[in-house]
Amino acid sequence: MAGSPQLTDPPGDAGHDGGRVRWRRFAVLTVPAVAVTAGLGIALAQGALAASFAVSGQQFKVSAKSLEGEGFAQYGSVDVNAREELIPVAVTAIREAKLHSLCQSVVTTLPVVGDISLNLTAGQKNPVEASNLFVDATQLSGDAVFSNIEIGRDASTLDKGPAEAVGMQDLFAQQADTVSITDLHQTAWATNAGTFKLSGLSMNISKGKKECF
């Protein structure tokens, strides 16, 4: 019919010709965005996303002289940043945790100014207390002792940690009744907690790179 819009690419059509759009090129440009959105939707539906918020572009470091926890679970997951990029993490979830001599640090590099360090310390006398603690980490080290540990359990069947501490079906996970870690060092993208009690809290911003470890 004369004047009807054309939805296909005629031979030799170049970009925009007489108001027509190159639909094949449009599809090529939009498919990646649709795929990312679909992937995020699937991950949300299957409980694969860890943090409930978009993480920043900076990891932070956490250290503690010791950690004691009841109801431990650990499994693989992903965080997502503001650009909707997926970031693989290992989620450590503890139902009730106590940390002695906690340190948290993050370094930001600013134009002209250079490195700026944010340091937070707490729990020097009385321990830091957390309930339903989730840490999305990329590195963890220390001397650990577990009681009644289960290694290789399906992540979707975890039941010793917080109620929300479950991962995707068929993925590797481990859990234990209790965990004790001395000289804890970890690098993380995010931390969630139901409650977080920081006794003796101190925060300091300084120029230069000053990290917990």
Side-chain angles (χ1 to χ4, degrees):
M1 180 180 297
S4 297
Q6 297 188 30
L7 302 181
T8 58
D9 289 343
D13 182 63
H16 299 272
D17 183 9
R20 293 194 299 270
V21 178
R22 290 197 62 167
W23 296 101
R24 189 176 296 115
R25 179 178 297 175
F26 176 77
V28 169
L29 292 174
T30 57
V31 164
V34 172
V36 169
T37 303
L40 289 173
I42 294 171
L44 282 167
Q46 295 181 341
L49 292 182
S52 57
F53 51 85
V55 300
S56 74
Q58 298 176 276
Q59 295 192 77
F60 55 91
K61 292 186 176 181
V62 177
S63 68
K65 185 176 181 180
S66 64
L67 177 152
E68 292 87 37
E70 295 183 2
F72 167 87
Q74 192 172 63
Y75 54 95
S77 188
V78 290
D79 282 341
V80 61
N81 61 23
R83 295 188 178 118
E84 295 190 340
E85 297 168 334
L86 300 180
I87 303 169
V89 294
V91 177
T92 297
I94 303 175
R95 194 169 62 250
E96 299 289 341
K98 293 183 178 181
L99 301 99
H100 297 265
S101 299
L102 173 70
C103 173
Q104 178 179 299
S105 65
V106 61
V107 178
T108 301
T109 302
L110 300 176
V112 182
V113 178
D115 292 335
I116 300 294
S117 297
L118 170 64
N119 290 78
L120 180 152
T121 59
Q124 304 298 325
K125 294 183 178 180
N126 299 315
V128 170
E129 299 179 4
S131 64
N132 294 328
L133 176 67
F134 290 78
V135 180
D136 303 349
T138 56
Q139 175 273 331
L140 184 150
S141 64
D143 298 319
V145 177
F146 301 92
S147 66
N148 296 323
I149 190 168
E150 300 172 354
I151 301 174
R153 183 169 178 137
D154 188 297
S156 67
T157 68
L158 295 170
D159 58 8
K160 291 189 176 184
E164 299 83 5
V166 292
M168 292 180 66
Q169 185 175 344
D170 298 327
L171 291 190
F172 173 92
Q174 54 188 2
Q175 64 177 4
D177 288 344
T178 64
V179 58
S180 176
I181 304 176
T182 56
D183 297 324
L184 170 68
H185 288 174
Q186 66 181 5
T187 305
W189 284 105
T191 296
N192 290 345
T195 60
F196 207 35
K197 181 180 178 181
L198 298 125
S199 60
L201 172 64
S202 175
M203 187 183 74
N204 181 53
I205 296 178
S206 57
K207 192 172 180 180
K209 185 175 289 187
K210 299 177 182 179
E211 300 180 283
C212 296
F213 59 91

